[in-house]
Structures are given as C-alpha cells and as structure tokens.
Amino acid sequence: MVALPGLFVPLLLLLCALPLGATPVPQASPAGTRRQYAIAELLSFLCSIKPLNFLLCGGNFQGLGNGTVTISTPVGDATGSADSSAAARFAVRYATATRWQESVMATKWEFPNGATDPSALPLACPQTQNDLVTTGQSEDCLSMILYVPAAAAVSKVPAMMWIHGGSFVIGSATNPGLDGAALAEATGSIIAVVQYRLGALGFLSPGGQSNLAVKDMINALQFLQRVLPSFNGDTSKVTIAGQSSGATMVRALLATPSASGLFRSASIHSDPMNYGFLSPGTFQTLNNFLKTQLSCDSSDSACLNNISTDDIVGISTNVFNTATSLDASAGAAMPMRPVTDGSLITSPLDITANFPRQSKTIIVSTVEHEAGPTIYSIFTDSLPEAAFASVCNASLGPDRTSKIVNSQHYAIPASDSTSDVDARVQLETVGTDQVWRCPSWTFARAFAAAGGKVYVGKYVVGVTYPDNEDIAFCKDGGICHEDDIQVVFGTASSPTREQKSLATQIQARLKSFLASGTPNTRGYQSWSTVSGSNVNALVLGGSGGSADVGACDPSFWGQEVPYDYQLFGN
C-alpha cells in the first residue's frame, strides 16, 4: 500500500467511486454528470502528461521494476524511478564534452554513462579516490539527478539546482546526504543535484581556456530551462544553491552576466570567500605549470586525448599541491577555481572593485565552526597560548598576526588563566572569521548596497558530516564545515529532536524562498535583510536570535585586517 501525501487525498476521495480509466456513467442530475466528466477529464490529463502519474494511474510506486515514470520532454522521453512515496528520481546527462573543451548541452534525453536502468546513478567526475564517491568515475560525467515531488502532479512548482562542494577537486551528485527526495517533498519543489568537471579537467586546459566547469553549470541551467516545463517546473522560479566550493560556483554564476537570466535567486552555504576568484595572471601561472606536466604539445589533441584519466588526475593533484609555491594567491584550499576572465566572469564580486548593480535575492549562510575540521585535524592535542601567535604568523604573516593577536576580538577571557587556555579555540575562531564568516558578511553588505536583497544566517546546530566523524571536536559538539548539508536536505539517519526541528525550519524557509523569494514563513522568527552595515544575521538553531558581529565588524576584517583577495589582488 502506497502512503499518499495529504495533497492527493481530497482528489482521490472524489475519484474512489470511479474505476481508473473507465468512462463515468451519466447520472440523472446534469450538474452531477458535468462534475463526473470534469473529474474524469482531470484524471486523464494528469495521467497523460504529469510526472508521478503512477500515483493516480495504478503504477507500482514502491517496486522499481514496475514503478517507472515516463515524461515527454522537448529532448525526448524521460524515464525515472520511484525514489520515495512522494518523489520520483530522473538521472540524465545534461551535456557532453570533449576533454579540455567547452561542454555542449544535450539535445536528447539520455541516462548517464550509457545506462539503461532508470534507477542507475551517474558516475562521478575524475578525482582522487575518497570515501565520499562510491559510484565509480568517468570523464562522461556531466549529469544531474532531478527529484520531482508529488506536488508537481497538480500544480506548477519552483526548482532548485544544488552544486556540490569538494574544493573543486572531489565530490559528486551522489555525495552522502545529497538525496533530494525529502527536500523536494518538503519544499514542493523540483531539486536538481548536479555535477561538473573537477580539477585540471574543469579549471585548466592546455589550450588556455579557463572556467570550463563554470560553462558546464551554465549548460546545466540551460538544460533545466528547456526540460522543467515538462515536469511542471516553473522556469521563472529557479534558485541556484551550493555548499563550500559549490557555493563559490554559485557566486561565479552571480558574476556571469550571460547566466543571469537562467535563475532568479541563490543560496550560498559556507563559501570560502576569503580567497576570491583567481586572477587571470594566477590562472596563467597554474596553467603553464599544467602544460609542463603533460607529455604532449598543447596543440596535439590526439596525444592529449590519449593520456589516461588516472594520469590526468595525478597531474591535477600535483598542480593542487604545488599551487601556493607557484603563486601564493592561489591559496592552499582550492587553487583551481573560477577566474575573473573579463568575458564570462566580469567582476570579482568583492570589495577590490566597483560592485555591479544587483537585483536578485540571495541567502548567505555559514556554520559556527567552519574551521573546526582544519584546526582540529592538524592539531590533535591542545596547544599552549604561546602557539596562537606563532601559528597565525605562519598562516597570515606578521602584519595581520600583530593586529589579530592584539585585538580584543580574539583575547583570552579575563576569567581564564593562560595555563588553562587551548589555543586551538582561538585559532578555530580566527580561521572561521577569516575564510568564511567575515568575508561572507562583507560580500552581503556589498551585494545589498548594490541593490540586491540579502538574508544572512549562521547555523549553530548541525548534523556531523561523514568527513568530520573522525574529528573529535566536530563529533563532540562542534558545528563544522559541511554539517549544514544534511540539515538542508533532511537526510540525517537518526536526527536528534534539535536537528529535526532545525531541518523542518530550514525546509519551511526554503519552501517559501523558492516560491516567493523570502525565507520568512509563519511560525518562525522574522528574518530581516541586510541593511547598511547591519547584516541582521539570524541564528539558525538553538534559541534563534541575532548573531554577534564580533570581528566581522566592517572596521576590522576587510579594513584593518585584509582578506587574502585584498592582500594579493585580483
């Protein structure tokens, strides 16, 4: 027995007296006859062109062998599988690409990687082996998974395209926690989880082309625009969202004028904005190094195409590890990333240049302990207070370290004695402020000042992501980088009451945001937009309220203490 969502119950009660597909028997009352024919017409309409038609037309939703759905689209028939009692899953190749060339949007509906089974998942893009990718890898990886909710069977619904993180070198649409079925059901929206070329295959090229992966995402958005109407998706209500490097990709799309008409709003989760986009000069330095690692001339396409994928992944890893010694502005965390090339990405979208006029509405969020995984995996034992300045100096240099060490923002509480202090606490706070929280707030102020509408949030409740399970700090109460993912998607296996409550809140806010452009909804604290220097950051989880500004005051980070993108320039 299929558990039907409440949305369908009134309709099905009306239909229960009618054999599905049968012609209704006219009754004596003309009004009753018209009503029965109207119901039958509606049923026929839903069965013929809507997704999830098996909910109303006798299909077996639970058995994947029989529970398939076929939808006619402008690029051919799309066949999907039953993913849950309220969503269907459609995996599709949205584009194809020759190695180190721009991708081309798909013109026909095809399963990823030549699969024939509608339930097959896409293979990940080439990357180093890691615990998050379990589906295998292929260069034929420009795929997405569409999660279509039951709500789309009866009304037009919004859509959200989620871009995974992983420092632009790992990750996929099948990462843990990214099953979009629960999110699709809760928000009544189509959720598209996408993947793109990674590392040297997506961000460098022997021919000198940059931003190949950004162009992959533009193709994904164009593909969505073409097929969404077939799933009753509203092409005027598309939101792009992503976490970590996926959030950086969202910001790159915000900086790409040619992509602007493909989406209405954006949600940026834990973007390491401190690094900024790559400058053309830094890109050229890294790209020249790439070419020295290849056994082919950059113009010999036959030779380049014959290099094994494994060898390219090895070369990409070498570029990643060598980048900061070639150019310090590349940064150690994600040196291969979008480039402000002046043609596709026309602005750095930071405070080093005039901020272009904005009209979109965005959400910008971080988690409480973004730097927790970095600090507590490097320093597994507590550190004496004397280590605070030395570690800062090694990372930030003497000028910035001096201002940080002497700032009250990172001072030891007066109630603590120096001998009791674990410097890792201060280092984690500095790291979170420098790389994530404060540059995100600086960006939010600039975006709002340029005409956009911005909601800023800070997660103080999370679900420990698999990456963080071996880090005691994260597992024992720290809300670490990535710990918001399973809250957003509602995919925690055994959530606590607090985690479940926050997931319900976030999905309710997203439902409102995707549909109407505001994350405010009945039953939850009002979320104010950025106004002037006041970001009005909402605490997400716990008792709510507003987050303290602290070191993210515009007079400190970004002014007295520069971000990396200011220090190195773009």
Side-chain angles (χ1 to χ4, degrees):
M1 180 74 178
V2 177
L4 295 175
L7 178 64
F8 290 95
V9 171
L11 177 60
L12 291 181
L13 289 176
L14 289 172
L15 295 171
C16 64
L18 295 175
L20 295 184
T23 302
V25 178
Q27 303 296 311
S29 165
T33 301
R34 287 195 298 271
R35 183 166 58 251
Q36 282 191 317
Y37 273 112
I39 291 171
E41 274 187 19
L42 174 60
L43 179 61
S44 176
F45 175 71
L46 294 174
C47 288
S48 64
I49 68 170
K50 297 298 181 185
L52 309 184
N53 50 11
F54 46 91
L55 278 174
L56 300 176
C57 310
N60 179 3
F61 194 90
Q62 293 177 330
L64 292 183
N66 297 318
T68 58
V69 196
T70 299
I71 305 298
S72 177
T73 81
V75 294
D77 287 347
T79 301
S81 63
D83 191 80
S84 75
S85 62
R89 184 179 67 205
F90 297 80
V92 61
R93 176 192 283 124
Y94 69 80
T96 58
T98 302
R99 181 182 287 177
W100 280 314
Q101 300 298 320
E102 290 187 17
S103 56
V104 178
M105 189 183 77
T107 57
K108 60 180 179 179
W109 188 281
E110 294 180 320
F111 294 135
N113 315 110
T116 57
D117 181 355
S119 66
L121 297 174
L123 300 180
C125 292
Q127 57 195 276
T128 57
Q129 293 296 322
N130 61 85
D131 293 337
L132 300 183
V133 175
T134 59
T135 59
Q137 303 180 20
S138 171
E139 287 190 55
D140 176 19
C141 62
L142 299 184
S143 303
M144 67 172 67
I145 306 173
L146 290 170
Y147 297 89
V148 183
V154 291
S155 63
K156 188 176 286 189
V157 299
M160 183 177 83
M161 186 177 91
W162 180 272
I163 307 171
H164 71 80
S167 297
F168 290 127
V169 291
I170 62 171
S172 75
T174 57
N175 272 6
L178 296 189
D179 186 319
L183 182 59
E185 178 185 4
T187 60
S189 303
I190 295 170
I191 306 298
V193 184
V194 298
Q195 49 192 45
Y196 49 92
R197 286 176 287 179
L198 301 170
L201 287 168
F203 295 91
L204 303 174
S205 69
Q209 296 184 79
S210 62
N211 293 321
L212 292 175
V214 180
K215 295 169 185 175
D216 294 344
M217 291 295 86
I218 294 173
N219 274 323
L221 283 167
Q222 290 174 332
F223 185 82
L224 278 176
Q225 286 289 324
R226 190 166 188 193
V227 304
L228 277 176
S230 301
F231 297 90
N232 223 8
D234 190 338
T235 56
S236 70
K237 294 182 178 180
V238 175
T239 296
I240 56 174
Q243 188 271 343
S244 195
S245 58
T248 303
M249 183 68 83
V250 170
R251 184 161 43 93
L253 292 168
L254 286 167
T256 301
S258 61
S260 183
L262 300 173
F263 62 97
R264 182 181 71 168
S265 54
S267 186
I268 297 173
H269 299 248
S270 299
D271 185 350
M273 293 192 194
N274 167 71
Y275 302 115
F277 300 142
L278 277 188
S279 69
T282 303
F283 165 77
Q284 194 61 57
T285 297
L286 299 186
N287 208 54
N288 287 341
F289 180 73
L290 166 75
K291 290 191 283 189
T292 68
Q293 305 301 296
L294 301 172
S295 56
C296 307
D297 185 90
S298 60
S299 61
D300 190 344
S301 58
C303 178
L304 292 171
N305 288 331
N306 282 329
I307 301 174
S308 74
T309 302
D310 287 345
D311 284 346
I312 292 175
V313 170
I315 291 169
S316 180
T317 302
N318 195 26
V319 173
F320 188 97
N321 293 334
T322 310
T324 54
S325 66
L326 299 171
D327 187 331
S329 69
M334 51 181 202
M336 291 174 280
R337 59 184 186 271
V339 180
T340 312
D341 59 2
S343 55
L344 187 74
I345 298 177
T346 58
S347 168
L349 282 193
D350 60 33
I351 56 176
T352 63
N354 291 330
F355 213 92
R357 195 69 187 162
Q358 301 296 321
S359 60
K360 296 188 185 297
T361 302
I362 65 174
I363 297 174
V364 177
S365 63
T366 57
V367 302
E368 188 169 19
H369 305 115
E370 297 277 9
T374 302
I375 298 301
Y376 286 87
S377 61
I378 294 174
F379 305 106
T380 56
D381 296 319
S382 62
L383 293 174
E385 175 58 18
F388 178 49
S390 61
V391 174
C392 279
N393 186 64
S395 176
L396 303 174
D399 290 342
R400 290 192 289 183
T401 295
S402 176
K403 294 171 183 176
I404 287 168
V405 170
N406 292 314
S407 168
Q408 288 302 305
H409 293 304
Y410 304 110
I412 303 169
S415 58
D416 293 350
S417 65
T418 302
S419 60
D420 294 333
V421 171
D422 182 350
R424 293 181 299 176
V425 175
Q426 294 161 286
L427 290 169
E428 191 284 318
T429 303
V430 170
T432 292
D433 287 351
Q434 180 216 357
V435 178
W436 288 277
R437 189 170 75 102
C438 296
S440 291
W441 288 23
T442 297
F443 166 80
R445 294 185 188 102
F447 196 94
K453 185 180 290 186
V454 189
Y455 297 90
V456 175
K458 176 185 173 183
Y459 286 81
V460 299
V461 170
V463 176
T464 304
Y465 199 67
D467 277 353
N468 299 327
E469 288 178 348
D470 293 332
I471 303 170
F473 173 81
C474 301
K475 193 172 182 179
D476 297 338
I479 311 303
C480 294
H481 188 66
E482 300 181 294
D483 285 355
D484 56 332
I485 292 174
Q486 294 178 88
V487 172
V488 172
F489 279 79
T491 46
S493 58
S494 300
T496 64
R497 179 179 297 180
E498 192 175 31
Q499 291 166 339
K500 187 174 182 179
S501 174
L502 180 57
T504 300
Q505 176 191 163
I506 294 301
Q507 292 182 342
R509 290 188 181 279
L510 278 175
K511 180 177 183 177
S512 177
F513 184 71
L514 300 180
S516 65
T518 171
N520 284 308
T521 188
R522 181 178 297 180
Y524 295 104
Q525 178 182 346
S526 179
W527 194 345
S528 300
T529 57
V530 173
S531 177
S533 62
N534 190 350
V535 299
N536 295 311
L538 183 67
V539 173
L540 300 171
S543 58
S546 297
D548 292 335
V549 176
C552 295
D553 185 286
S555 66
F556 193 70
W557 279 107
Q559 183 169 323
E560 184 177 352
V561 183
Y563 301 119
D564 282 8
Y565 68 73
Q566 293 173 286
L567 192 66
F568 296 112
N570 284 307

